Amino acid sequence: MLFSNEENTLPIAEDAFLLKGFLLGNGEALLLALNQVVEQSPFRFMVTPGGHSMSVAMTNCGPWGWVTDGQGYRYQMSDPVTKEAWPTMPAIFMTLAQEAAEMAGFPNFLPDACLINRYSIGAKLSLHQDKDETDFSQPIVSFSLGLPAIFDFGGKTREAPKKALLLEHGDVVVWGGKSRLNYHGVRSIKAGSHPVLGEYRINITFRRCQ
């Protein structure tokens, strides 16, 4: 584990945890791996089925990648931009995702999809559920790098009360079990500059989709 005590493991709901600073000390290696992924499958602004361009730029790595276009939301094994298979998930991504999942009480996590979101200032992600997967038995693990963000974590319905969490560089959120289908979203990124990532926030999210 990256730290031996549990004082930085903060419960946010049933089967959901914020691991403060979990990634600290691994930033350089993570960004090197990220750059290798982006060289193969660049960030792009996907379009929702309703025809709206998303404010968050996205790419993927691993066997499956999440995409959205006029045909709907789905996972597929090829990058619609490059027409090639998605880049292999870097070993450090997998290792840290599995360690974070285990710390949150989800051993044997084996993600087969890794969605990478790049938020510029003003970008946001509306409240939603992660329900395009066929396997809800495994958790979602979400890394935060760069600029801070306010992460809203709600309940089973869109109207349920929400907790507003400040996610900073190095934080990880893990949710599964009874909270696996809880609504969540990211508020607009406020102006700022990170020492390494500048005016961006990077979110790396791991799921088991098949």
Side-chain angles (χ1 to χ4, degrees), residues 67-115:
V67 299
T68 174
D69 56 23
Q71 300 177 41
Y73 305 117
R74 65 190 182 281
Y75 285 93
Q76 65 181 48
M77 299 185 78
S78 61
D79 182 339
V81 172
T82 68
K83 310 303 181 185
E84 304 288 341
W86 296 105
T88 300
M89 192 184 303
I92 189 170
F93 281 20
M94 177 69 79
T95 297
L96 291 173
Q98 290 177 327
E99 288 185 352
E102 185 172 359
M103 178 163 283
F106 298 99
N108 306 314
F109 179 44
L110 191 61
D112 59 5
C114 176
L115 174 64

Side-chain angles (χ1 to χ4, degrees), residues 12-13 16 151-155 161-165 175 179 182-185:
I12 56 177
F151 179 66
D152 286 320
F153 195 80
K162 299 180 291 293
K163 288 185 178 179
L165 307 173
W175 68 98
S179 290
N182 283 28
Y183 277 85
H184 56 281

Side-chain angles (χ1 to χ4, degrees), residues 125-138:
L125 202 58
S126 300
L127 204 65
H128 65 282
Q129 293 173 297
D130 286 0
K131 58 182 181 180
D132 297 320
E133 302 76 27
T134 59
D135 185 351
F136 296 146
S137 68
Q138 296 206 35

